[in-house]
Every structure is written in structure tokens, then in C-alpha cells.
Amino acid sequence: TWCHCTGRRVRSVRLGPSPPRLLTEEEFRLQGEVETRKALEELRSYCRSPDFSAWAAVSRIQDPKRFADFVGGALHVTPREVFVHEQQYGLGGSFLEDQLFEDEEEENFSESNYRNFFLS
């Protein structure tokens, strides 16, 4: 048993570390939500601390009331911003459509170039 365990260790050292496991889409989304929430809370905490210069920050931002609401616990995005984001990047959004049609146009372009080059 001792020799078997030692042999396995030697082989694992030679082969190197195994590659990390990739996240599923759901795990990636959940991790993003958790880490974003955590980072926003850290930011709120820092903004409430005595080390934070509130006057310097408020003098540089466009909407001081919205910033104060955020520090108080309000959402960091407005419902309108969420709606616009969904329109652009959600299913059927303009960004997704641009990506889909751009690929299709490139395929048609390359096919026509192929035909013109080889069939002429």
C-alpha cells in the first residue's frame, strides 16, 4: 500500500496539476451575481467609512442623490437601465441580432468570393 501511494504521487508530480474544472453557464451566472453583490456591499461599506471623502466624490458625480440612495442600500441600476440592457443584450436584442446577421453576411461574402474565384 505504501509503495502504491508513493508511486501515485510520483506520477501526479510528473504529469503536473490537472486542469481546473470549467463552470457551467448556471454556475458562472450565479458566481457573477454573488460576487457582484459582495463587491457592491464592500463599496457601500467603504463609502460609509470615515476614510471616504464624501464631498470630493459628490462634487465629481452627475447625480449625488442617486449616489446617496445607493450608499443607503438602493439598487445600483434603475429599472429603465435594466430595460434598455435587456433590449440590447437580451434574447432578440439588437446586439445579438447584429452578431447573428454579421456572421451570416460574412458567410455569404466568402461564398460569393469563392464562386467568383474558382468558377471564373
Side-chain angles (χ1 to χ4, degrees):
T1 304
W2 179 81
C3 290
H4 180 69
C5 291
T6 305
R8 193 179 326 164
R9 285 186 195 150
V10 169
R11 267 185 273 138
S12 68
V13 169
R14 280 189 211 150
L15 297 175
S18 61
R21 183 182 73 81
L22 300 177
L23 299 176
T24 64
E25 262 187 66
E26 182 66 17
E27 290 171 329
F28 179 79
R29 186 186 61 73
L30 286 173
Q31 183 179 4
E33 289 175 8
V34 167
E35 293 299 320
T36 299
R37 244 183 269 120
K38 188 171 117 180
L40 288 170
E41 281 307 314
E42 288 175 9
L43 178 60
R44 281 188 183 104
S45 176
Y46 174 71
C47 291
R48 292 180 190 134
S49 74
D51 298 335
F52 180 71
S53 175
W55 287 112
V58 169
S59 67
R60 294 181 190 150
I61 59 177
Q62 293 178 358
D63 193 348
K65 182 182 179 333
R66 183 173 171 189
F67 176 72
D69 291 343
F70 165 74
V71 172
L75 292 176
H76 65 289
V77 290
T78 64
R80 173 79 181 140
E81 290 169 336
V82 171
F83 176 76
V84 169
H85 183 271
E86 285 299 317
Q87 291 294 312
Q88 288 180 337
Y89 300 105
L91 288 176
S94 60
F95 179 78
L96 183 59
E97 285 183 13
D98 290 345
Q99 293 296 316
L100 291 173
F101 291 124
E102 181 179 300
D103 291 343
E104 188 176 293
E105 289 170 3
E106 287 176 5
E107 286 175 12
N108 291 337
F109 179 75
S110 63
E111 286 176 17
S112 65
N113 283 347
Y114 176 82
R115 286 187 194 121
N116 290 337
F117 183 78
F118 286 106
L119 299 177
S120 298

